[in-house]
Amino acid sequence: MYVYDEYDQRIVEDRVKQFRDQTRRYLAGELSGEEFRPLRLQNGLYIQRFAPMLRVAVPYGLMSSAQVRMMAKIARDYDKGYAHISTRQNVQFNWPDLEDVPDILAELATVQMHAIQTSGNCIRNTTTDQFAGVAKDELIDPRPWCEIIRQWSTFHPEFTHLPRKFKIAVNGAVSDRAAIEVHDIGLEAVQNAAGELGFRVSVGGGLGRTPIVGSFINEFLPWQHLISYLDAILRVYNRYGRRDNKYKARIKILVKALTPEVFAERVDAEWAHLKDGPTTLTEAEVARVAAHFIDPAYAALADQDAALAQLDAEHPGFARWRQRNTFAHKRPGYVAVTLSLKPTGVAPGDVTDKQLDAIADLADRYSFGEVRNSHNQNIILADVEQAQLFTLWGELRENGFATPNVGLLTDIICCPGGDFCSLANAKSIPIAEAIQRRFDDLDYLFDIGNIDLNISGCMNACGHHHVGHIGILGVDKKGQEFYQVSLGGSAGRDASLAQILGPSFAEADMADVIDKIIKVYVEQRTDEESFLDTFRRVGVDPFKERVYAANH
Amino acid sequence: MQRIIKNGQVLDETWHLLPKDATLDGISNCDDLIVPLALWREHAHALKARDGGLGVWLEAGEEIEEIADQLDNFQVIALNFPAFTDGRHCSSAYLLRTRYGYKGEVRAIGDVLRDQLLSYQRVGFDAFALRADKDPLDALKAFEEFSEVYQASADQPQPLFRRRA
């Protein structure tokens, strides 16, 4: 993974000192709450329902075991003993004291971490595929490009007060596991006919109260021009994005208002001045950054198909776990393992300090000392020897990470909701739990197959409900919490937005509603047809009829 | 008398910033004036004929392109921040310096606070009229907070990746 040089380290340490002084001035009354607000937000510090929430940056989701141990230490020393993996692959702490944040940042800096630009109206953490660098379907490893973008975006002086937050995702694979089309900018690695590397650029995607799938405005941007082109997009947005209404301030509104074609013309006109200038990327710089992401010292191994098949036969639980929680690796004899943070009864994405220490330990022993956070709020050991899978499975079970539900209905993406978040209209964690309890039969879950169930406690859509195959949105009706259900969303390639089923439901009805939706799918599906495929074929009506029939 | 930060020093203000609805009536011939863009649009000829210094100021929504071919007329270009959270003029200043080659004073006015000064300086501002309740001497510390930057901007045309040892 990327290791700081003296420049990176100095910038982060300077930031710690700067924020310590900003906090001091705020506490001393020299800075008003209003003046401090964007400063703390650009350092990931929210004032939440019960306490501040600190969002620590995890660039493109990658952490070393030393960094994971630091997360454990912070959870223990400054929080209530747990942390939360967010849908932007970051780590959140829900209970730190404002006064402690400078000390937390100082501790983070010792392991090359920080909380820079994890919130606020600036360029946020760039995200990517949790299987970057190990996936078989990869054209390029997106991580060096994410790191190049991280450096460009960190304290970019021109773009620190944008109209709204700004999120970039990079995909280097055939499948899109980074949800690029629902980001402000999505970058997809592509090769042209001459075999040269470039990026296909999507702009203006995003969720929130106006969900929009992005438009591709450039089919082939040569890699040398990545930064100058990003500068051009951001400049157009910074100058012409709406600032009169925060709900219309995202770049997607500007792109839609201008049309993607006109927006692309504006960007090209701006880019014409920047192209081939000093920000043009050099082979030397790309090589310097990419050298941090070369393969670890893989052993020369053969695939263990027969041995694993035998273990599967002897241990059905292992077979089930292997089927759901492992991912094929580009190297023979290796596999990527997802640690499910979605056992029933635990808030999705939550992990305790002890579990974090255990993860660090497992990473050291099984996966070259690295982990990744996924935007599905799980943690991945990306480089596990197949021959060690059975032993690892035993250890994961002891630590509560072996729930064999990755990609299934109970692997729910869920925002912290009204239990923690001051923006939320409704709780989301108890809904996730009620659904997990209803679908506690593993055979049935496996039979249902891949389903993205995403829950957001408000229309800010942190739980990405618009792109869930099943989406649930918490809504407030006269002070009471209700839940709106939508179907047919997808964050993958050819992303789509879910359609609202109809009137919302009470909390107590939610598990029944999901149950009915699943039953319609099971009845309607043809062989091997996924939930999403069935939905796209039969449409929303059969689901609507079943779910609302009982109410009449 | 208001004091401003100019090139890293706190100085007494000598320019007069005319309000948005200013007219030519009663304008002195010799004072150094920063006039609103509307007045310049209307009365460029008369303003140029004065003996005093001339500057112009732009609202956040007014585009720098409007004066890009007239920059020789101004010793000062002031860019107004209606709120410190409105970053539009960061792009304006950058364009003034890098695209239009303006060498005179680029001044931040309006809701100008210490914690934004460093990024303003990076994009090309060299003068800062802080909000009246803020202490410019205290604000000077902002320029010392970082010793290195990643990106190219008006102050540093070479990104760090071209400067790394």
Side-chain angles (χ1 to χ4, degrees):
Chain A
M1 63 187 287
Y2 187 74
V3 177
Y4 284 3
D5 64 13
E6 58 176 299
Y7 297 102
D8 303 296
Q9 188 67 35
R10 204 193 315 164
I11 287 168
V12 166
E13 287 176 6
D14 284 348
R15 174 55 173 161
V16 173
K17 278 184 261 169
Q18 182 194 40
F19 192 73
R20 190 182 291 283
D21 190 53
Q22 288 170 342
T23 305
R24 180 195 64 75
R25 285 188 281 136
Y26 168 65
L27 293 172
E30 294 170 33
L31 275 174
S32 70
E34 191 197 354
E35 289 163 11
F36 186 53
R37 186 171 179 277
L39 306 181
R40 66 171 164 76
L41 286 177
Q42 297 211 1
N43 202 46
L45 185 60
Y46 286 74
I47 302 299
Q48 284 289 34
R49 186 151 287 190
F50 301 110
M53 183 272 276
L54 179 67
R55 183 180 290 147
V56 175
V58 182
Y60 36 94
L62 193 60
M63 280 195 289
S64 69
S65 55
Q67 292 175 330
V68 176
R69 282 193 187 91
M70 179 57 80
M71 296 300 103
K73 182 174 189 295
I74 290 168
R76 203 159 38 236
D77 294 352
Y78 298 98
D79 206 277
K80 294 189 175 182
Y82 65 97
H84 174 77
I85 308 301
S86 85
T87 53
R88 287 208 70 67
Q89 302 180 283
N90 290 320
V91 174
Q92 296 179 178
F93 295 97
N94 278 310
W95 305 95
D97 288 330
L98 173 66
E99 292 81 352
D100 287 337
V101 171
D103 290 338
I104 296 174
L105 297 180
E107 297 216 35
L108 288 174
T110 66
V111 293
Q112 310 194 337
M113 293 186 91
H114 56 76
I116 295 164
Q117 290 175 204
T118 53
S119 182
N121 294 336
C122 53
I123 304 168
R124 303 283 191 89
N125 186 32
T126 296
T127 54
T128 191
D129 184 357
Q130 68 268 28
F131 298 116
V134 305
K136 279 183 169 176
D137 65 339
E138 208 164 71
L139 175 69
I140 58 149
D141 184 344
R143 294 172 299 175
W145 302 97
C146 291
E147 174 58 28
I148 286 167
I149 294 168
R150 181 192 76 81
Q151 296 188 16
W152 161 76
S153 61
T154 296
F155 302 128
H156 196 304
E158 193 180 336
F159 306 131
T160 51
H161 290 293
L162 294 167
R164 278 287 268 142
K165 58 187 172 182
F166 202 90
K167 299 176 179 180
I168 302 174
V170 185
N171 179 38
V174 173
S175 292
D176 177 7
R177 287 173 290 266
I180 62 167
E181 291 179 57
V182 286
H183 279 77
D184 295 295
I185 293 178
L187 297 167
E188 179 184 1
V190 284
Q191 253 174 348
N192 67 9
E196 293 158 332
L197 175 68
F199 294 94
R200 188 170 176 237
V201 183
S202 160
V203 67
L207 303 177
R209 66 180 67 201
T210 313
I212 297 179
V213 173
S215 304
F216 285 94
I217 60 165
N218 190 328
E219 290 296 321
F220 189 82
L221 173 70
W223 63 267
Q224 294 88 341
H225 304 303
L226 178 63
I227 296 304
S228 57
Y229 196 77
L230 292 177
D231 269 323
I233 295 175
L234 266 297
R235 184 164 300 138
V236 171
Y237 173 54
N238 189 39
R239 301 188 73 193
Y240 303 109
R242 285 183 64 170
R243 291 173 185 266
D244 58 322
N245 178 340
K246 74 178 271 199
Y247 302 115
K248 295 181 192 282
R250 297 286 294 265
I251 194 173
K252 61 193 170 188
I253 304 293
L254 177 64
V255 173
K256 198 177 170 195
L258 290 174
T259 75
E261 294 73 23
V262 171
F263 182 83
E265 285 169 18
R266 294 265 190 113
V267 171
D268 281 341
E270 184 59 41
W271 184 45
H273 295 281
L274 306 174
K275 190 171 177 286
D276 300 318
T279 57
T280 306
L281 285 167
T282 61
E283 294 211 10
E285 171 64 0
V286 175
R288 182 187 76 83
V289 176
H292 292 284
F293 299 96
I294 54 171
D295 284 348
Y298 291 125
L301 302 172
D303 278 328
Q304 305 282 305
D305 295 333
L308 289 171
Q310 177 156 3
L311 284 167
D312 283 351
E314 293 165 9
H315 304 277
F318 176 70
R320 248 197 304 237
W321 171 78
R322 202 163 75 84
Q323 185 188 337
R324 291 312 319 185
N325 294 25
T326 67
F327 183 82
H329 199 285
K330 67 178 182 182
R331 291 286 291 232
Y334 282 88
V335 68
V337 173
T338 299
L339 280 55
S340 171
L341 302 186
K342 317 287 181 71
T344 298
V346 174
D350 274 10
V351 56
T352 68
D353 62 325
K354 287 192 182 66
Q355 287 182 313
L356 285 163
D357 276 333
I359 290 169
D361 184 42
L362 293 171
D364 281 340
R365 285 189 287 124
Y366 291 96
S367 195
F368 300 100
E370 284 181 13
V371 307
R372 294 104 179 282
N373 298 338
S374 73
H375 84 267
N376 315 76
Q377 302 171 298
N378 290 313
I379 287 180
I380 285 93
L381 299 176
D383 298 294
V384 177
E385 290 186 19
Q386 291 172 1
Q388 295 193 306
L389 261 187
F390 189 74
T391 325
L392 173 61
W393 175 59
E395 296 211 46
L396 294 180
R397 283 203 295 173
E398 282 171 30
N399 288 291
F401 300 129
T403 312
N405 65 346
V406 171
L408 297 178
L409 183 64
T410 56
D411 182 12
I412 297 169
I413 290 181
C414 182
C415 74
D419 292 302
F420 296 102
C421 179
S422 53
L423 298 173
N425 291 320
K427 291 189 287 293
S428 49
I429 294 168
I431 304 300
E433 183 174 346
I435 294 166
Q436 286 173 325
R437 290 201 187 284
R438 175 64 61 94
F439 291 88
D440 64 347
D441 178 345
L442 272 178
D443 289 333
Y444 188 41
L445 270 184
F446 269 64
D447 179 56
I448 297 164
N450 286 328
I451 290 198
D452 293 344
L453 173 62
N454 298 357
I455 307 177
S456 302
C458 76
M459 64 174 84
N460 290 301
C462 295
H464 301 176
H465 64 278
H466 300 295
V467 289
H469 303 158
I470 301 174
I472 297 175
L473 167 65
V475 292
D476 176 87
K477 287 208 288 196
K478 295 177 185 157
Q480 290 216 297
E481 298 183 4
F482 282 85
Y483 297 88
Q484 188 181 71
V485 174
S486 54
L487 299 178
S490 167
R493 191 164 289 283
D494 303 321
S496 59
L497 300 172
Q499 296 176 40
I500 295 168
L501 196 58
S504 55
F505 306 95
E507 176 177 347
D509 297 333
M510 285 310 297
D512 285 339
V513 168
I514 301 304
D515 196 32
K516 286 173 190 166
I517 289 167
I518 296 301
K519 287 207 167 86
V520 172
Y521 158 61
V522 170
E523 290 161 19
Q524 298 267 355
R525 69 180 168 187
T526 60
D527 288 348
E528 302 295 309
E529 197 177 43
S530 71
F531 178 87
L532 189 61
D533 290 337
T534 300
F535 175 83
R536 285 176 173 170
R537 179 171 55 80
V538 305
V540 76
D541 290 341
F543 296 94
K544 200 182 268 187
E545 282 163 22
R546 180 74 55 88
V547 166
Y548 292 102
N551 294 345
H552 297 295
Chain B
M1 177 175 287
Q2 198 189 350
R3 296 197 296 165
I4 63 160
I5 296 174
K6 176 85 192 281
N7 291 327
Q9 299 209 307
V10 177
L11 305 172
D12 287 339
E13 166 66 315
T14 57
W15 288 75
H16 299 277
L17 187 80
L18 297 190
K20 196 160 186 191
D21 56 0
T23 63
L24 282 186
D25 297 341
I27 285 186
S28 94
N29 180 52
C30 298
D31 283 347
D32 294 337
L33 302 179
I34 302 173
V35 306
L37 180 62
L39 195 68
W40 167 254
R41 277 189 201 128
E42 194 91 355
H43 300 290
H45 190 72
L47 288 168
K48 277 195 276 190
R50 295 171 59 259
D51 293 331
L54 182 64
V56 66
W57 69 271
L58 273 60
E59 291 282 14
E62 291 173 338
E63 295 177 23
I64 206 69
E65 283 77 1
E66 192 159 340
I67 54 167
D69 59 355
Q70 305 155 32
L71 297 177
D72 290 347
N73 296 295
F74 309 117
Q75 291 157 266
V76 175
I77 294 172
L79 301 172
N80 184 47
F81 288 84
F84 71 95
T85 50
D86 185 332
R88 280 177 282 184
H89 273 328
C90 290
S91 292
S92 309
Y94 174 84
L95 293 171
L96 261 181
R97 292 296 189 202
T98 62
R99 189 158 305 163
Y100 304 120
Y102 182 68
K103 299 281 196 279
E105 177 179 317
V106 180
R107 178 185 298 200
I109 60 171
D111 195 15
V112 179
L113 305 178
R114 165 178 162 175
D115 291 286
Q116 283 69 45
L117 293 189
L118 185 59
S119 56
Y120 291 177
Q121 182 186 48
R122 292 215 56 212
V123 296
F125 288 96
D126 58 351
F128 310 89
L130 254 69
R131 207 172 71 191
D133 60 327
K134 298 295 176 185
D135 175 5
L137 277 173
D138 175 64
L140 286 179
K141 295 173 193 157
F143 300 110
E144 310 297 324
E145 287 176 341
F146 282 89
S147 51
E148 191 50 90
V149 295
Y150 284 118
Q151 316 74 11
S153 197
D155 66 326
Q156 172 50 274
Q158 300 290 320
L160 178 58
F161 70 77
R162 289 182 185 270
R163 295 183 282 113
R164 277 180 202 267

